[in-house]
Amino acid sequence: DTGVSQDPRHKITKRGQNVTFRCDPISEHNRLYWYRQTLGQGPEFLTYFQNEAQLEKSRLLSDRFSAERPKGSFSTLEIQRTEQGDSAMYLCASSLGQVNTEAFFGQGTRLTVV
Amino acid sequence: SQQGEEDPQALSIQEGENATMNCSYKTSINNLQWYRQNSGRGLVHLILIRSNEREKHSGRLRVTLDTSKKSSSLLITASRAADTASYFCATGSTGNQFYFGTGTSLTVIP
């Protein structure tokens, strides 16, 4: 499979629990992005990595959120002390990291906080 | 923040008709991408147009870009029921991340 892979596809968790999502980008892509999408809205930028370096974080990414890309390959997004407002689709994308190159998305992880 | 804004928010057409949706944005861009999203699924990349390009084609898709008006349009010709989806524009600038609009929901009636 040469596409972007996200795991799990669905996650239901109780409020206050921690959750972690994984994203495996397309293998030769050095740039990786995380987005969040709520129902009826477009994806909102959260953060992105160039190789293992996290270069930008949105103000949407509160201190309960942390993202890593330890070896410049897969990435994880952790949400601590989840809140009901965290319920959303979390999307990962990757690109070659050059200007004017397409970004390709995974199928997303749908998080439901109950 | 979401920079792009698609218009219309919803569009319903008969199979075989053409569908046009527009995207307006606020700041200078390097490129603009269009994506399709089927209900509850991930985004599928359709086409990327660079800021120095005015028009681009891919199969039944035609994208235009007018940087002076900060707008883009996506035309789908000879629509099919399978084209039913939400369509988003995403603008890329020097900040390297890209921002999405609110989307156009297209329904193609068989």
Side-chain angles (χ1 to χ4, degrees), chain A residues 5-72:
Chain A
S5 177
Q6 291 189 245
D7 183 68
R9 293 288 306 278
H10 302 273
K11 178 71 177 178
I12 300 174
T13 191
K14 292 184 178 179
R15 189 174 51 186
Q17 297 293 305
N18 299 343
V19 294
T20 301
F21 311 139
R22 177 179 170 126
C23 172
D24 287 89
I26 296 171
S27 59
E28 64 268 26
H29 286 184
N30 53 29
R31 190 163 291 177
L32 186 148
Y33 307 83
W34 285 99
Y35 283 77
R36 181 176 71 186
Q37 185 179 27
T38 53
L39 197 62
Q41 300 296 313
E44 296 175 297
F45 171 76
L46 293 178
T47 189
Y48 89 96
F49 293 84
Q50 176 83 22
N51 298 313
E52 67 275 10
Q54 187 174 17
L55 296 186
E56 186 165 348
K57 292 192 292 186
S58 163
R59 65 181 183 278
L60 294 174
L61 214 65
S62 76
D63 57 7
R64 295 185 299 105
F65 289 70
S66 62
E68 293 183 342
R69 194 182 182 196
K71 297 182 180 179

Side-chain angles (χ1 to χ4, degrees), chain B residues 4-96:
Chain B
E5 184 172 325
E6 285 90 343
D7 172 65
Q9 288 189 336
L11 179 61
S12 183
I13 59 174
Q14 295 289 129
E15 199 166 32
E17 294 180 338
N18 295 343
T20 300
M21 51 205 86
N22 304 295
C23 169
S24 59
Y25 57 91
K26 298 173 184 173
T27 62
S28 297
I29 61 172
N30 287 335
N31 60 69
L32 187 145
Q33 304 180 68
W34 283 92
Y35 288 85
R36 182 186 74 226
Q37 186 177 39
N38 293 89
S39 179
R41 308 283 298 272
L43 291 109
V44 174
H45 186 271
L46 296 177
I47 199 165
L48 178 149
I49 186 165
R50 301 178 184 190
S51 60
N52 61 354
E53 297 175 312
R54 292 297 167 258
E55 188 170 313
K56 204 162 182 180
H57 297 256
S58 177
R60 295 183 296 112
L61 306 180
R62 172 179 170 255
V63 168
T64 64
L65 179 65
D66 187 336
T67 54
S68 67
K69 294 181 179 179
K70 292 186 169 59
S71 67
S72 174
S73 67
L74 170 66
L75 168 68
I76 304 173
T77 59
S79 63
R80 306 167 181 168
D83 295 328
T84 294
S86 291
Y87 292 81
F88 295 91
C89 66
T91 54
S93 62
T94 54
N96 298 312

